[in-house]
Amino acid sequence: MAVKTISPQQAYAKLSSGELRLIDIRQSYELLTGMAQGAEAIEQAVLEQRQYQQEILDADSSIALICQRGIRSAELGQYIMRENDVEVFSVDGGMHAWKAAELPLHWPQSELNRDERERYLRHLALPQIGLEGQLKLRKGRVLLIGAGGLGSPAALYLAAAGVGHIGIVDDDVVELSNLQRQILHSTSRLGQAKVESAKTHLLELNDQIDISVYPQRLTAENIEEIVTNYDLVLDGSDNFPTRYLVNATCIRFGKPLVYGAVQQFSGQVSVFHAAADNPSPCYGCLFPESASAEDAPNCAQAGVLGVVPGVIACLQATEAIKYLLGVGELLLGRLLVFDALAMRFRELRIPRDPKCDFCS
């Protein structure tokens, strides 16, 4: 016996008159995008149990199943009919067709608004994130040092992920030579302050988050006031003095630091969280002596393949998101080195230096 399909309009009419019992078989995270008004939520895995099938089939009204697009409901309906020799309907086109027909909807209670429930659907499907994790991201506060080659891709992915508050420090303006790798900016915003260009782009991507901008050079005089407002610092700077300053401040205030650096066809990334109660090494343990500009030229001097900062920045953003969620293993005490020409990653251990000028 083949499962019969009914249109969303037919299902709604029968549901309204009491002739039909409509059961939404989607998973809990899918329900957050909206349910048919009057439908009951019973997940597919539950309805596949014979005992539960008997309970719902004892009802006087007919049974119709609805899913996202009508595929799962048809398959499950076929299975239930085969096991119980009864008639079960499937809503043709599922919730996709129900919404297209502009039939009444209701939303399960959630701390996420309607836009967020739809926007972060793929996150909500992950057991490691779900609703609780997405709320953690919404409460998260990440400071980006620089809106350039590393800051650009990192900011985009943090914003897309729903990190609730992103701060950006940069005193530079958008130049044409930036656009080969700094994907936050565009030709139409040449000459504009990078932080303002970044804010415009990020809010176009996700208007559910907050952006704070600091159009200034990071110095010993202003860094403490800025850093203390954030949970984590993502360093996209390109010079040793700034990196040492950020490292020292993060140690002082117990802030985790996601480090990244690129040059030509290579890059590296790590996470530092040196504190009294944390034995992790710091940036100073990795680079104990400040190098000169000649020893470590920046991208303008040495050049860089445009996609390399994107690779490293994506890794930085991943570590930042993992930290906010409290999942996985961070790159603490490990340096991940990327070689684009060989398309190879290698990992180096970073021991904590007991004589480090910063964290010892």
Side-chain angles (χ1 to χ4, degrees), residues 10 31 62 72 85 138 170-171 192-193 208 216 233 286 313 315:
Q10 291 173 316
L31 303 181
S62 299
R72 284 174 286 172
D85 193 25
R138 189 171 72 174
D170 200 308
D171 67 338
Q192 186 176 1
Q208 299 292 310
Q216 56 197 275
V233 177
L286 178 62
L315 294 171

Side-chain angles (χ1 to χ4, degrees), residues 87-115:
E87 186 175 66
V88 177
F89 297 94
S90 172
V91 178
D92 192 25
M95 283 304 303
H96 183 75
W98 187 283
K99 291 177 180 179
E102 299 183 348
L103 294 171
L105 299 167
H106 81 274
W107 284 266
Q109 287 188 339
S110 170
E111 294 182 61
L112 299 178
N113 62 41
R114 180 176 175 180
D115 180 278

Side-chain angles (χ1 to χ4, degrees), residues 25-33 41 43 108 121 124:
I25 67 168
R26 296 175 297 162
Q27 297 184 59
S28 57
Y29 73 90
E30 295 176 286
L31 303 181
L32 294 174
T33 63
E43 286 192 18
L121 186 61
L124 298 172

Side-chain angles (χ1 to χ4, degrees), residues 211-254:
I211 308 289
S212 293
V213 297
Y214 306 90
Q216 56 197 275
R217 180 173 292 276
L218 204 60
T219 67
E221 286 70 36
N222 61 24
I223 189 170
E224 291 185 6
E225 182 180 357
I226 297 173
V227 166
T228 51
N229 292 315
Y230 294 90
D231 302 317
L232 172 145
V233 177
L234 191 151
D235 186 10
S237 62
D238 63 356
N239 63 86
F240 281 104
T242 300
R243 290 172 185 163
Y244 284 120
L245 176 63
V246 172
N247 179 62
T249 306
C250 285
I251 293 171
R252 179 177 178 185
F253 293 100

